[in-house]
Amino acid sequence: MNILRKKALPVKKIDTKIISLVENMFYTMRNADGIGLAAPQVNQNLAITIVDISCIEKYKDAKPILLINPEIREIYGECVMSEGCLSIPEVRADVLRPKQVFVKYHDLEMNEKEEEFDDLAARVVQHEIDHLHGKLFVDYLNPDDKKKFKKQLADIKKGKIQTDYLLHLYSDDFHGY
Ligand code: ZN
């Protein structure tokens, strides 16, 4: 099974391997012009996700987010946003998700934390946490988009998903995650 379809394993303790993985993930995400990344996307089956939307002008004051072993505890509202994924560069589509989420997670010192995310940050956090459960945003496509991306979805089903290093640079305002 493709690693992007597996459930990620919880992080039990922070060691130098985890720290360098996190550093590597931030590097990879920024290098790919992404705004979020989950460890399985870089071939590590661990429950680690990062989000940084500050490269988008409207969110330039947003701080980078690191979520270890994240769990969504509560959801509020719903909204539609256009999504893409660094691992599925050829698909981009509207997805309906909760607008706000309340998340429990560990930080890099394994402290238990809780935080509420809203708007784009909530969107990316949910997309990344899905990656830890083997779920991809294309699983939510509406029937029209399913038809439109039939070939790509068939490839994904066959396990053709990109999990090596992601070097997609987007020239417009689109940022994958
Ligand atoms: Zn993704």
Side-chain angles (χ1 to χ4, degrees):
M1 199 202 294
N2 188 290
I3 192 166
L4 287 182
R5 287 304 194 182
K6 285 184 184 162
K7 194 168 163 48
L9 302 170
V11 173
K12 298 257 168 62
K13 77 178 204 339
I14 304 297
D15 54 19
T16 51
K17 259 177 78 182
I18 298 290
I19 292 167
S20 65
L21 171 61
V22 168
E23 283 171 0
N24 198 304
M25 285 173 66
F26 272 105
Y27 177 81
T28 301
M29 177 182 70
R30 287 174 177 145
N31 200 35
D33 206 16
I35 55 175
L37 194 68
Q41 291 181 279
V42 291
N43 255 321
Q44 302 297 317
N45 194 26
L46 289 167
I48 303 173
T49 69
I50 57 168
V51 174
D52 187 357
I53 58 173
S54 65
C55 59
I56 298 168
E57 177 62 24
K58 190 180 161 194
Y59 305 100
K60 63 179 193 302
D61 298 323
K63 56 181 188 351
I65 299 163
L66 165 66
L67 305 173
I68 295 173
N69 305 328
E71 271 175 48
I72 293 174
R73 288 302 172 93
E74 280 171 63
I75 55 174
Y76 311 96
E78 56 181 29
C79 65
V80 172
M81 279 191 198
S82 175
E83 287 191 34
C85 179
L86 292 175
S87 301
I88 312 168
E90 64 280 7
V91 181
R92 182 186 175 180
D94 283 346
V95 176
L96 176 75
R97 291 188 193 262
K99 189 180 174 294
Q100 275 174 289
V101 286
F102 183 75
V103 179
K104 268 190 125 170
Y105 63 98
H106 290 114
D107 67 9
L108 208 47
E109 276 90 47
M110 281 306 262
N111 299 311
E112 273 208 19
K113 298 264 176 133
E114 301 176 333
E115 202 166 331
E116 203 171 290
F117 299 100
D118 192 10
D119 193 28
L120 182 62
R123 170 66 47 157
V124 187
V125 162
Q126 291 177 79
H127 177 116
E128 301 314 330
I129 292 176
D130 270 355
H131 273 303
L132 304 181
H133 297 278
K135 211 163 166 78
L136 300 169
F137 85 101
V138 292
D139 301 340
Y140 302 105
L141 296 195
N142 65 43
D144 283 349
D145 283 333
K146 271 190 183 144
K147 249 184 231 159
K148 185 173 159 195
F149 295 111
K150 206 174 160 197
K151 189 197 163 293
Q152 290 88 342
L153 296 176
D155 283 348
I156 291 164
K157 227 174 182 170
K158 281 183 228 149
K160 287 190 204 158
I161 320 177
Q162 206 174 331
T163 48
D164 50 357
Y165 280 53
L166 314 145
L167 297 163
H168 271 266
L169 292 165
Y170 297 92
S171 52
D172 59 8
D173 64 347
F174 173 64
H175 301 268
Y177 39 105

